[in-house]
Amino acid sequence: MLSEKMEQALNEQVNAEIYSGYLYLSMSAYLEEADWPGFAKWMRIQAEEELEHGMKIYDYIIRKGARVTLKGIESPQTEWDGVEAIFEHVLEHEQFVTSLINNLVDLAIEEKDHATNLFLQWYVEEQVEEEENAMDNLARIQKGKDSIDALFMLDKDFGARQAE
Ligand code: OFO
């Protein structure tokens, strides 16, 4: 079982992960429109991964015999000031998600919920990877941003990403 507080907090995280997916899908749509098919593909795969993160928590809540309660998903931003601004936003957003995961771990410890604490460790590790990737991607884009040729190369490179 889950405490009421833990159940509510995990449900909020399902919403936050789906929102992350929605935000990245919105970024992907913007990038398609701006004719960056490689960056758009990368972001679409990122969006799909976020939905999987949400579903992993969804399934965990059910396994613990608790109740999944879905709420409305906030509308994501739809306009950015180019590719660099998008990848800056990704880094900022992932740092925010890390703070949400840390809060959940704090709550699991407070509630003496060892199973949920253990379950959340996957997300703790995942956020290290997510922030690392976001920093690397932003650095690569910042290096190439003043050369259209470099940006085209990066777009091609990002477009080689395959869903896992
Ligand atoms: Fe981007 O890792 Fe989930 O939210």
Side-chain angles (χ1 to χ4, degrees), residues 103-126:
N103 290 343
L104 280 173
V105 173
D106 285 348
L107 181 63
I109 292 168
E110 217 177 278
E111 301 281 302
K112 297 187 175 24
D113 185 343
H114 300 288
T116 302
N117 186 6
L118 188 66
F119 168 75
L120 288 169
Q121 295 309 307
W122 183 87
Y123 288 84
V124 171
E125 180 63 35
E126 175 70 11

Side-chain angles (χ1 to χ4, degrees), residues 13 16-17 20 24 46 50 53 94 97 123 126-127 130:
Q13 193 61 29
E17 298 291 344
S20 295
Y24 294 158
Q46 194 65 17
E50 297 299 350
H53 294 172
E94 288 302 332
V97 173
Y123 288 84
E126 175 70 11
Q127 283 312 117
E130 293 275 52

